[in-house]
Amino acid sequence: MGTRTTPLDATDHELTLGMPEETDPAPASGDQALIEDIIDKIVLVIDELSGHPLRPYQLPLARRILESLITEDSAKITALWSRQSGKSETVADTVCGAAIMLPRLARLFPDLLGKFREGLWIGVFAPTDEMSETLFSRIVGRLTSERAQELLADPDIDEKLITRGKLLRFKRCGSIIRKQTAHPKAQIEGQTYHLVVVDEAQAADEKVLNKSIAPMLSSTAGTLCLTGTPTYNKNSFYEQIQKNRREANRKGRKKDHFQVDWKEVAKHVPRYKKFVQSEMDRLGEESDEFKLSYRLIWLLDKGMLVTSDRFDALGDVSMRAVQEWHRSPVVVGIDPARKTDSTVVTVCWVGWDYPDEYGYYEHRVLNWLDLTGLDWETQYYRILDFLSHYNVFAIGIDAGGLGDVVASRLRVLMPHAQIVDLKSDRTNQTKRWAHMMDLMSKGLVIWPAHAKTRQTKAWRKFRQQMEDAELTYQGPHIIVAAPEVDAAHDDYVDSLANALYLTADMALPEVEMHNAPW
């Protein structure tokens, strides 16, 4: 390869393949600096294979896949990218670089990478055999390119690729890349992989994914990577995205969801921007096709309380969370904690002086208090201290059970405020949800969305829970609740609904208009 430099020429950790038997023992697997260095070296190989560096929005996904393989954290990584944004290219390049490098680095660092000593085993899936060909053909094209052949012939690598239909095998290091279908009628059990990639995961059969594909990673503590675009229905891909977004809010958790819409790609690829804008003109920005393919909006058949687009529309990017407000009375909603939930307090400003034609007021969320893992005696005084910074008019609390106790205690601690017991039967809950939805539809609920506020944990949890909340109708009743999955909560949603309902009886009744009979 002449004077071309490869990662195996680097000296940071003596990454040469001359005599691995004499290499010093590898540091413990927890050595993050070493892990990052190994990832850097593999990324250099990826760039060599493709002939150009990964773009800024591609690099985080590639690095996370490599990190998961190295650390054996059994991550379930999701990538929701707009059409033709380079998603398949990113995954193909990462797969190729890892298949070449990890088995070789395993000789140098047996404690950290020993499981790859006999090769990296990768399964490439899609809902149909034809769909799996898209990603697999990119992998084949990358590994059979002139650049790849030159790199594989380098004395430090000295590798030969054997292609047999749906299977790619590296003769010397033992890595394999196999194309398979995720079709429900296919018999695919029996394989073992370190990495499984499911392309077009939004169309994958849930039973096949959970029963047949995921178990292929069990004996290797492997990594599952799901890639795709939104669709009209909830599915395993959607649920995993939501789970990853929720988990990212937890302290010390890795980011496992990577979302890239057309605007992000357009920043780095001018031709892409030009084409998508022409599609916007042709299809319309609000068309289903454009929303699904480029704006990454799920058009779910099951109702949601608020979509991501609507959430953004109701956010005021010029407004930060307000830490103190005494100029006018505010309303407060409290959702008391139950077992694994948090106690959430939501403070809302009300535009008392400017009702609309029907007597409804504008409401603005000023701030949140999130109390997790505290005994109730401590919570009472944390709530009291928090609300001392506001001119509190009324506090709405779910009645029944723990809510009754909280309401009684706050009446003693805050005698100047009106404590309102909100009944929790379905009829009264329906009234609260209907009022909240009415206010949102009229644009009379606004929350802070300043860049500084969006970085806070409370804002991120508020957004996640608002977008998670499912809306269903059972007869005359409206039910809004978090999905029945791990780590899903609706404390922020309930707290906001409680605060908003305090102004419901102050609105003027709507008047029905009829033509006079004469």
Side-chain angles (χ1 to χ4, degrees):
M1 295 178 63
T3 59
R4 179 181 293 170
T5 301
T6 73
L8 299 179
D9 299 320
T11 59
D12 293 18
H13 287 284
E14 299 300 325
L15 295 183
T16 59
L17 297 180
M19 298 181 66
E21 294 77 13
E22 298 179 8
T23 304
D24 292 335
S29 60
D31 185 347
Q32 188 62 32
L34 174 60
I35 293 171
E36 292 297 326
D37 191 55
I38 289 173
I39 293 173
D40 289 342
K41 302 301 184 287
I42 299 176
V43 169
L44 286 177
V45 168
I46 291 172
D47 292 345
E48 279 292 322
L49 283 170
S50 64
H52 56 79
L54 290 169
R55 298 186 182 110
Y57 65 87
Q58 295 175 309
L59 190 57
L61 173 60
R63 295 186 70 91
R64 182 65 186 106
I65 294 173
L66 295 172
E67 179 187 39
S68 179
L69 287 170
I70 294 169
T71 60
E72 293 187 13
D73 61 6
S74 300
K76 310 297 185 290
I77 299 170
T78 52
L80 186 71
W81 291 22
S82 62
R83 292 290 182 186
Q84 299 300 310
S85 58
K87 166 176 54 67
S88 297
E89 179 186 16
T90 303
V91 174
D93 290 348
T94 305
V95 162
C96 294
I100 294 170
M101 293 298 295
L102 285 176
R104 288 168 171 78
L105 294 173
R107 305 173 198 167
L108 302 175
F109 305 109
D111 292 337
L112 183 61
L113 304 173
K115 71 174 183 178
F116 304 120
R117 195 176 184 94
E118 296 181 2
L120 173 66
W121 309 325
I122 302 165
V124 176
F125 292 82
T128 65
D129 193 60
E130 183 179 355
M131 293 170 76
S132 64
E133 181 63 27
T134 303
L135 177 56
F136 189 72
S137 63
R138 285 184 178 270
I139 295 172
V140 172
R142 188 67 77 215
L143 289 174
T144 56
S145 67
E146 185 177 337
R147 296 186 67 88
Q149 293 304 308
E150 188 178 354
L151 187 143
L152 293 177
D154 186 280
D156 280 332
I157 294 180
D158 188 26
E159 185 57 82
K160 183 178 180 181
L161 179 68
I162 300 174
T163 59
R164 292 181 179 174
K166 299 180 179 181
L167 179 67
L168 299 176
R169 183 168 65 87
F170 291 84
K171 184 175 182 180
R172 292 181 173 82
C173 72
S175 291
I176 62 168
I177 304 171
R178 180 182 284 110
K179 181 185 76 167
Q180 292 191 257
T181 177
H183 194 277
K185 295 184 179 180
Q187 298 297 320
I188 57 176
E189 288 87 351
Q191 304 298 336
T192 298
Y193 296 115
H194 297 110
L195 171 65
V196 163
V197 179
V198 182
D199 198 19
E200 302 297 344
Q202 75 278 1
D205 184 84
E206 184 173 0
K207 185 177 180 180
V208 173
L209 182 61
N210 295 330
K211 179 182 178 295
S212 301
I213 298 176
M216 297 177 179
L217 300 165
S218 56
S219 65
T220 60
T223 299
L224 176 65
C225 181
L226 306 174
T227 69
T229 52
T231 185
Y232 292 92
N233 305 305
K234 282 189 175 182
N235 46 57
S236 294
F237 183 45
Y238 174 86
E239 298 294 352
Q240 189 61 52
I241 288 173
Q242 298 304 103
K243 182 176 181 180
N244 286 350
R245 292 175 65 183
R246 287 191 294 270
E247 293 293 331
N249 292 326
R250 294 187 175 185
K251 186 177 181 180
R253 294 300 181 101
K254 295 286 186 181
K255 177 182 176 181
D256 283 331
H257 177 58
F258 300 86
Q259 188 157 318
V260 178
D261 64 12
W262 78 271
K263 292 181 180 178
E264 182 62 30
V265 183
K267 294 176 184 177
H268 308 280
V269 189
R271 290 189 181 92
Y272 186 84
K273 178 180 181 180
K274 184 177 180 180
F275 174 78
V276 175
Q277 287 179 334
S278 70
E279 286 293 276
M280 188 189 305
D281 293 338
R282 183 176 72 89
L283 300 172
E285 188 175 6
E286 296 300 320
S287 67
D288 286 2
E289 295 83 0
F290 194 84
K291 286 180 178 179
L292 293 169
S293 297
Y294 301 107
R295 295 177 62 189
L296 305 182
I297 297 174
W298 292 81
L299 303 179
L300 303 172
D301 62 345
K302 188 173 184 178
M304 308 297 290
L305 177 64
V306 61
T307 64
S308 58
D309 261 17
R310 187 59 181 156
F311 184 92
D312 290 337
L314 293 173
D316 184 345
V317 295
S318 67
M319 178 185 175
R320 299 191 186 198
V322 179
Q323 306 297 327
E324 190 158 353
W325 185 266
H326 291 283
R327 293 182 227 169
S328 62
V330 301
V331 292
V332 178
I334 298 179
D335 183 55
R338 296 175 180 82
K339 295 183 179 179
T340 60
D341 295 335
S342 302
T343 293
V344 174
V345 182
T346 302
V347 180
C348 289
W349 172 90
V350 182
W352 303 109
D353 297 331
Y354 302 99
D356 70 1
E357 58 183 315
Y358 301 113
Y360 289 100
Y361 304 101
E362 179 182 310
H363 299 69
R364 285 179 176 260
V365 176
L366 297 182
N367 206 356
W368 307 270
L369 174 66
D370 187 328
L371 300 173
T372 306
L374 298 176
D375 62 88
W376 264 105
E377 286 302 315
T378 303
Q379 289 193 38
Y380 287 130
Y381 290 99
R382 288 285 298 276
I383 293 171
L384 190 64
D385 177 66
F386 176 71
L387 294 181
S388 68
H389 297 283
Y390 303 92
N391 179 9
V392 178
F393 166 65
I395 301 174
I397 306 174
D398 279 328
L402 186 59
D404 289 339
V405 179
V406 176
S408 297
R409 188 64 178 274
L410 289 180
R411 283 192 179 95
V412 175
L413 296 174
M414 302 182 66
H416 60 283
Q418 180 182 349
I419 309 299
V420 181
D421 297 288
L422 301 174
K423 296 181 180 180
S424 55
D425 61 278
R426 284 196 173 179
T427 298
N428 282 281
Q429 284 189 347
T430 295
K431 292 179 181 178
R432 290 205 288 279
W433 295 127
H435 181 64
M436 180 175 177
M437 292 162 60
D438 199 16
L439 290 175
M440 288 196 299
S441 68
K442 290 178 168 68
L444 294 177
V445 183
I446 298 169
W447 35 76
H450 189 277
K452 293 288 186 181
T453 301
R454 295 199 304 270
Q455 295 173 9
T456 63
K457 186 175 182 180
W459 189 91
R460 295 197 306 269
K461 291 177 72 173
F462 172 66
R463 173 166 198 156
Q464 186 65 59
Q465 292 188 19
M466 288 290 287
E467 293 184 8
D468 274 353
E470 297 179 349
L471 171 67
T472 56
Y473 295 89
Q474 293 187 2
H477 298 126
I478 299 173
I479 298 174
V480 176
E484 296 181 1
V485 295
D486 293 340
H489 303 280
D490 51 19
D491 317 305
Y492 281 81
V493 185
D494 287 337
S495 177
L496 176 59
N498 291 346
L500 297 177
Y501 194 63
L502 295 174
T503 67
D505 292 337
M506 301 174 187
L508 297 175
E510 293 191 19
V511 179
E512 291 189 18
M513 303 295 291
H514 298 280
N515 291 327
W518 56 83

